[in-house]
């Protein structure tokens, strides 16, 4: 395993002072998989104050010292070095009762969540891998360290972490670990919502449709609004999939944009509530976009999502049933109102939604390519789409003698003329249009 010079320097310094030192956790896992680790965590038998003494000549970050972590600034980057430790019982499914520093690395590895995350490596000592992490990596298996149910009872965030690692590396979750993910899922109710939200944000952009199906019990526990969709027969000739499978496919077909993926996941959550069965045996879902948008707002508020993301998601869901018209005036208006990014995301969501019905005809997909072509024409023309793009502004109108409300009214009237292609967006043409009116 290749290590950066800064890490080798740290390991050497600790070993020369008589301590054991390793890189540990995610970086060992990633390196064994042939992936470039995004950072290196270190662990050592040295107590925090001993680590501090070894690196006395360096700038140190001591914020985590109480928990055993000393940060050493090497080549402008902080290397985190944590003392081997074990943990006592967890009484609240979140925090250990006590933490104790130890000198045996195996004890430290035993407190870690999954075998593939419970490995350490040192250039002089080789691998410490007491739970068969390398073997599991080779076989593509995600397995909890020790008794899975007990480990998830200690900290139920591990369930979501487990889903994330399984999805990220395409690993199969070992049988007992998977069973415990489901049987202990209720413990995630005790987690801080922000932690759940953070994990979901790391997870969602990576999920394929099959992942959403496989881990439905876990997802439904943290977002109970998803549950009525599982196995829900849409009773509609345009849909061949149940509602949850359809949703999984929409997520799958959306690129890795966070807002888009959240919107895909929640875009139809209101459907079961608004369903009306027609006389022809077909189900109708009038108003489901608005109801889903409102429910999505509730889900994201509860998870304490940032306002900007929540608003984007709610907008996308609220508008997802309004299919665009392949027409310049219409699209120019919408581009002006929504902005290019939202417009693009909305199209992507709608296209994914159309695909995921399972009954898509080429004609429907042609609509999206036509709309995209017209949109790029509009953007290339660099035309006026909103008040801010108008060649006359409020100050100009004031100079022409307009006052108060009349300014806004006139500007909007001019914008409409331009959008309707009845007036060019130049000072002369707009001024002439003003005078025509007065
Ligand atoms: P990533 O590449 O996503 O950062 P990682 O494995 O480095 O993956 P971190 O959250 O950075 O994950 O944690 C570092 C290590 O600490 C993990 O590899 C694991 O050994 C341990 N760990 C982290 N969180 C937990 C937890 N909740 N329970 C047990 N061990 C954990
Ligand atoms: Mg990490």
């Amino acid at each position: 395993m290749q290590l950066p010079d800064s890490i080798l320097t740290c390991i050497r310094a600790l070993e020369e002072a008589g301590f054991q030192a390793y890189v540990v956790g995610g970086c060992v896992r990633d390196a064994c998989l042939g992936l470039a680790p995004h950072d290196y965590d270190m662990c050592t038998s040295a107590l925090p104050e001993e680590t501090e003494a070894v690196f006395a000549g360096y700038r140190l970050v001591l914020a985590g010292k109480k928990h055993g972590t000393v940060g050493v600034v090497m080549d402008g980057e902080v290397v985190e070095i944590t003392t081997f430790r074990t943990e006592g019982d967890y009484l609240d499914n979140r925090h250990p009762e006590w933490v104790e520093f130890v000198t045996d690395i195996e004890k430290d590895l035993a407190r870690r969540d999954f075998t593939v995350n419970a490995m350490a490596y040192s250039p002089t000592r080789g691998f410490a891998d007491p739970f068969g992490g390398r073997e599991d990596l080779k076989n593509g298996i995600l397995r909890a360290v020790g008794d899975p149910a007990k480990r998830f009872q200690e900290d139920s965030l591990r369930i979501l972490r487990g889903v994330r690692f399984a999805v990220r590396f395409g690993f199969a979750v070992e049988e007992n670990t998977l069973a415990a993910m489901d049987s202990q899922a209720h413990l995630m109710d005790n987690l801080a919502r922000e932690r759940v939200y953070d994990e979901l944000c790391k997870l969602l952009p990576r999920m394929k449709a099959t992942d959403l199906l496989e881990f439905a019990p876990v997802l439904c526990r943290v977002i109970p609004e998803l549950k009525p969709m599982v196995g829900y027969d849409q009773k509609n000739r345009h849909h061949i999939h149940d509602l949850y499978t359809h949703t999984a496919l929409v997520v799958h077909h959306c690129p890795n944009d966070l807002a888009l993926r959240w919107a895909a996941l929640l875009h139809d959550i209101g459907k079961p509530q608004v369903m009306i069965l027609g006389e022809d045996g077909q189900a109708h879902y009038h108003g489901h976009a608005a109801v889903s948008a409102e429910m999505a707002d509730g889900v994201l508020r509860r998870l304490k999502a940032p306002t900007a993301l929540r608003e984007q998601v709610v907008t996308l869901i609220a508008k997802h049933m309004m299919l665009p018209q392949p027409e310049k005036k219409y699209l120019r208006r919408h581009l002006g109102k929504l902005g290019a990014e939202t417009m693009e995301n909305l199209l992507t969501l709608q296209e994914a939604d159309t695909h995921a019905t399972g009954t898509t005809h080429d004609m429907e997909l042609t609509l999206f390519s036509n709309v995209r072509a017209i949109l790029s024409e509009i953007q290339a023309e660099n035309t006026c789409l909103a008040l801010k793009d108008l060649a006359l502004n409020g100050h100009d109108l004031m100079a022409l003698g307009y006052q108060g409300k009349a300014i806004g009214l006139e500007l909007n009237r001019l914008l409409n003329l331009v959008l309707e292609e009845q007036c060019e967006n130049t000072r002369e043409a707009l001024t002439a249009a003003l005078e025509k009116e007065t």
Side-chain angles (χ1 to χ4, degrees), residues 25-26 29 38 111-113 117 155 158 161 164 168:
R29 175 199 66 216
H38 58 80
R111 75 174 167 84
R112 294 172 185 269
D113 46 10
N117 288 346
D155 176 5
R158 289 173 187 155
R161 284 175 59 85
R164 170 156 62 91
R168 173 158 151 207

Side-chain angles (χ1 to χ4, degrees), residues 56-265:
Y58 290 85
R59 250 184 65 210
L60 301 176
V61 180
L62 297 174
K65 189 177 160 192
K66 206 174 71 187
H67 303 109
T69 303
V70 173
V72 179
V73 182
M74 287 254 165
D75 306 333
E77 285 196 46
V78 182
V79 179
E80 296 207 323
I81 305 176
T82 305
T83 305
F84 300 157
R85 57 176 209 231
T86 59
E87 293 173 348
D89 285 340
Y90 284 63
L91 298 184
D92 59 354
N93 317 118
R94 268 178 296 189
H95 306 291
E97 186 69 346
W98 46 260
V99 171
E100 187 181 47
F101 296 135
V102 292
T103 51
D104 178 0
I105 185 161
E106 294 206 3
K107 288 195 176 141
D108 180 283
L109 294 173
R111 75 174 167 84
R112 294 172 185 269
D113 46 10
F114 300 98
T115 61
V116 297
N117 288 346
M119 299 187 278
Y121 172 80
S122 135
T124 51
R125 296 170 187 272
F127 280 95
D129 179 15
F131 307 105
R134 277 174 298 174
E135 185 66 16
D136 282 342
L137 269 189
K138 200 172 76 195
N139 298 321
I141 289 174
L142 190 84
R143 182 195 312 270
V145 171
D147 172 5
K150 182 160 176 280
R151 303 311 310 283
F152 295 152
Q153 282 155 20
E154 289 173 353
D155 176 5
S156 54
L157 193 73
R158 289 173 187 155
I159 299 174
L160 280 173
R161 284 175 59 85
V163 173
R164 170 156 62 91
F165 291 121
V167 165
R168 173 158 151 207
F169 300 116
F171 286 179
V173 181
E174 176 272 332
E175 197 183 338
N176 294 324
T177 304
L178 186 64
M181 277 181 169
D182 294 350
S183 70
Q184 308 303 313
H186 62 279
L187 295 174
M188 291 186 293
D189 297 355
N190 300 336
L191 289 169
R193 298 296 96 188
E194 297 88 331
R195 296 181 78 201
V196 173
Y197 175 74
D198 283 347
E199 270 304 329
L200 288 174
C201 287
K202 290 183 197 166
L203 177 59
L204 204 50
R206 297 177 184 273
M207 289 190 113
K208 296 196 288 291
T210 45
D211 298 322
L212 280 138
L213 294 171
E214 180 178 358
F215 297 109
V218 172
L219 293 173
C220 289
R221 190 74 209 189
V222 288
I223 307 175
E225 289 85 347
L226 297 176
K227 208 167 177 185
M229 299 204 294
V230 178
Y232 185 91
D233 178 358
Q234 300 204 66
K235 294 202 180 65
N236 185 289
R237 74 178 83 84
H238 299 299
H239 282 277
I240 60 164
H241 302 294
D242 74 85
L243 188 53
Y244 186 78
T245 306
H246 164 73
T247 298
L249 287 166
V250 178
V251 173
H252 184 115
H253 286 302
C254 280
N256 288 355
D257 179 86
L258 194 56
L260 197 47
R261 286 248 158 170
W262 271 108
L265 183 70

